[in-house]
Amino acid sequence: MLLRLPTSVSEARECLAEGAVPVGGATLVWATWQRDGFPELAMSLRDVPEANVVDRRAVGGAVVLHRVDDRVPDVLRLAAGTVGTGAVRRTATVGGNLVGSALRCLLPPALALGARATVLEPDGVRETDLAEVVAKRPVLLSLRWSEPIACAYRKLDAVAGGPPPLVVTSAVHTGDRLRIAVRDGYEVLSADTTYTNGPEQTLTTLRATTFAQLPTDAWTVVHSQVTDLLGRPTP
């Protein structure tokens, strides 16, 4: 397998046009390649500046999870810190988690932040929503969002041999908007609503969305988090 390391978006586009298979930390595909055979040509974005940004409003697709630190909002930092072991977080990337992982641990916080994705294709770069990223698995160059006023994250303890643990994420945004996303099992639900009428009315509105299908224990966590988040003093 020949691994290309482009240093610009234009070089990365050329690699894709030549049929290169994108690879980040390879934590999710290595076993498959060992079983089914390695691709002739692969490509990593680790040397492309646009794929390595980390700040309050963006994170690159090639950023390894242990670099997702206090430069990003807490809801994303805390989520990245719960993925696998320290060894995994030193190799797994943001793009690999969102595009290649069945658990997609970073999807709920990205939804709560209202993130938009910049994706790389052989004929150019374009912006899209997270639904397309999940459905079509493009090459993720970066995620960008508007910095939230406040945010919250909670992941329950996993049960041995059971389904993935419940994850609840939320963020308050300018314009009196509350975005919230929940991973229940392998399904991720999200909602966007106003919060000007207080926590209880906001929760009533949320309960009338797709969140109506949440089991009671999951809704209890949502209720607690939204009540706490909306009760915080705003800057």
Side-chain angles (χ1 to χ4, degrees):
M1 180 180 73
L2 176 63
L3 177 64
R4 294 276 183 85
L5 297 173
T7 58
S8 68
V9 169
S10 60
E11 288 181 9
R13 286 174 53 195
E14 291 175 5
C15 292
L16 286 180
E18 294 171 8
V21 176
V23 57
T27 55
L28 297 168
V29 298
W30 195 260
T32 301
W33 285 352
Q34 288 181 313
R35 184 187 69 235
D36 300 336
F38 288 80
E40 293 184 4
L41 182 62
M43 173 192 72
S44 170
L45 298 178
R46 70 189 188 196
D47 292 335
V48 177
E50 292 86 345
N52 283 280
V53 61
V54 183
D55 61 40
R56 293 299 295 175
R57 298 188 178 190
V59 67
V63 173
V64 291
L65 299 184
H66 88 99
R67 289 185 55 218
V68 181
D69 53 23
D70 58 6
R71 288 172 289 178
V72 304
D74 283 350
V75 67
L76 186 60
R77 175 184 64 83
L78 293 170
T82 69
V83 177
T85 63
V88 168
R89 292 191 293 275
R90 286 190 291 273
T91 54
T93 62
V94 169
N97 185 271
L98 278 172
V99 176
S101 169
L103 293 179
R104 293 189 174 92
C105 300
L106 301 187
L107 180 58
L111 287 167
L113 289 171
R116 298 278 295 175
T118 300
V119 299
L120 180 67
E121 298 175 334
D123 56 351
V125 172
R126 64 183 177 88
E127 184 180 283
T128 188
D129 57 28
L130 293 173
E132 181 177 349
V133 170
V134 172
K136 297 184 178 180
R137 300 188 172 191
V139 180
L140 181 67
L141 193 61
S142 64
L143 293 176
R144 294 189 177 275
W145 56 84
S146 297
E147 186 172 357
I149 297 170
C151 55
Y153 174 87
R154 185 177 177 189
K155 180 179 182 179
L156 298 192
D157 293 334
V159 177
L166 178 76
V167 172
V168 179
T169 63
S170 55
V172 171
H173 298 265
T174 56
D176 298 328
R177 305 301 302 182
L178 171 70
R179 292 192 177 101
I180 182 167
V182 175
R183 188 187 71 191
D184 182 32
Y186 290 96
E187 186 175 10
V188 176
L189 306 175
S190 64
D192 180 351
T193 185
T194 58
Y195 63 85
T196 53
N197 292 324
E200 288 306 319
Q201 182 58 51
T202 302
L203 287 161
T204 299
T205 302
L206 285 174
R207 198 60 162 147
T209 67
T210 55
F211 282 22
Q213 63 188 277
L214 286 175
T216 301
D217 55 347
W219 177 250
T220 298
V221 179
V222 170
H223 189 289
S224 175
Q225 186 175 109
V226 169
T227 300
D228 175 73
L229 184 62
L230 296 185
R232 298 179 191 175
T234 56

